[in-house]
Amino acid sequence: MEDRQSLRSNIRKRRAQQEPAWCETNSRLISQHLAASHVYQRAQRIAFYLAQGNEADLGLLLQNAWAAHKEVYLPILGLRYSGQLWFVPCAEDTPLYKNRFGIDEPVHAPHTRRTKLRNLDLILMPLVAFDQRGNRLGMGGGFYDKTLASLQTTSHHWSRPKRIGIAYAFQGVEALQGQTWDVPLDAIVTEQGLHWFTRGTE
Ligand SMILES: Nc1ncnc2c1ncn2[C@@H]1O[C@H](COP(=O)(O)OP(=O)(O)O)[C@@H](O)[C@H]1O
Ligand SMILES: [Mg+2]
């Protein structure tokens, strides 16, 4: 099995090579699959992300969510060195600023950082690779793992929030070596559609 680091860099390289028009077409398909899904339609509080580089871009779905009066949240960096994310509300007209990694974050009131994960219905997360069992490989910072770790210890069923990975189909691999701290996905959406992972009792 390819090690995590070279797999990360190979898939990131391949993604970086895609033409903007290809990314746009497939990102649109991904947004359409989600928009048509029961899980999205039922969700009222949804954590999105803003695509970096050639990551699958949920911009269209974001517009749809605001139009449908859903509550949109975006991740911001938590306390320095915590490696955690906080999800803060973001309206269509909320101004953005750049965090220390140059990634846009919504301007927000400090008390809104206390949004409880359990109150979110759906977390849509970017990734570098996913496998057939729902293991997720991120950029290497473990941000989503650290952020969602508390859910893992407090619930067996994880009914909420649903964790859905967003990627192009070529980011799928046969099997990833899941680490003990890796928080798996409930489902993946690619340009080919939405797929739920089935897992045994956890
Ligand atoms: N819940 C956690 N608590 C503390 N450290 C964590 C936790 N989850 C992940 N990490 C650390 O984050 C680092 C990156 O995790 P990794 O899963 O490799 O990255 P990614 O999920 O971004 O691909 C690892 O060194 C791991 O030890
Ligand atoms: Mg991980």
Side-chain angles (χ1 to χ4, degrees):
M1 200 182 293
E2 208 174 356
D3 72 77
R4 282 161 83 88
Q5 205 41 53
S6 49
L7 183 67
R8 249 188 212 110
S9 88
N10 288 340
I11 295 187
R12 289 187 65 184
K13 213 175 288 165
R14 184 162 167 199
R15 188 169 63 186
Q17 287 163 354
Q18 303 302 322
E19 297 289 342
W22 185 94
C23 294
E24 208 178 301
T25 302
N26 289 293
S27 289
R28 187 181 316 121
L29 286 169
I30 291 170
S31 282
Q32 287 169 350
H33 290 309
L34 268 163
S37 71
H38 200 225
V39 63
Y40 169 79
Q41 289 173 7
R42 261 189 336 193
Q44 182 57 28
R45 297 171 164 197
I46 307 177
F48 281 78
Y49 62 89
L50 298 176
Q52 303 302 305
N54 273 356
E55 280 177 346
D57 187 340
L58 296 176
L60 274 181
L61 192 69
L62 202 51
Q63 295 299 328
N64 174 300
W66 280 321
H69 304 292
K70 293 179 188 285
E71 289 175 44
V72 167
Y73 294 79
L74 285 176
I76 66 166
L77 295 171
L79 293 175
R80 215 175 237 274
Y81 309 118
S82 71
Q84 296 221 15
L85 302 170
W86 285 320
F87 295 102
V88 299
C90 184
E92 198 164 2
D93 59 356
T94 302
L96 304 172
Y97 63 89
K98 293 209 183 296
N99 68 19
R100 63 180 186 273
F101 295 137
I103 297 175
D104 282 332
E105 297 185 350
V107 170
H108 60 277
H111 75 270
T112 62
R113 294 175 189 158
R114 285 189 230 117
T115 300
K116 292 238 186 338
L117 285 173
R118 287 255 166 245
N119 290 338
L120 296 174
D121 298 315
L122 188 55
I123 300 182
L124 303 172
M125 53 185 114
L127 51 87
V128 175
F130 64 95
D131 75 6
Q132 305 314 309
R133 302 179 57 215
N135 290 309
R136 170 183 178 275
L137 190 70
M139 296 282 274
F143 280 87
Y144 281 93
D145 292 329
K146 290 171 201 167
T147 305
L148 302 180
S150 61
L151 290 177
Q152 197 160 20
T153 54
T154 55
S155 163
H156 293 298
H157 297 296
W158 301 26
S159 56
R160 209 163 68 163
K162 289 282 180 245
R163 304 171 310 274
I164 300 193
I166 308 295
Y168 303 117
F170 75 78
Q171 293 171 256
V173 299
E174 195 60 40
L176 286 169
Q177 184 77 57
Q179 306 295 317
T180 48
W181 61 78
D182 278 331
V183 177
L185 300 167
D186 291 310
I188 182 86
V189 182
T190 71
E191 68 275 20
Q192 297 174 356
L194 183 151
H195 173 76
W196 291 98
F197 298 108
T198 47
R199 269 188 292 276
T201 47
E202 289 174 298

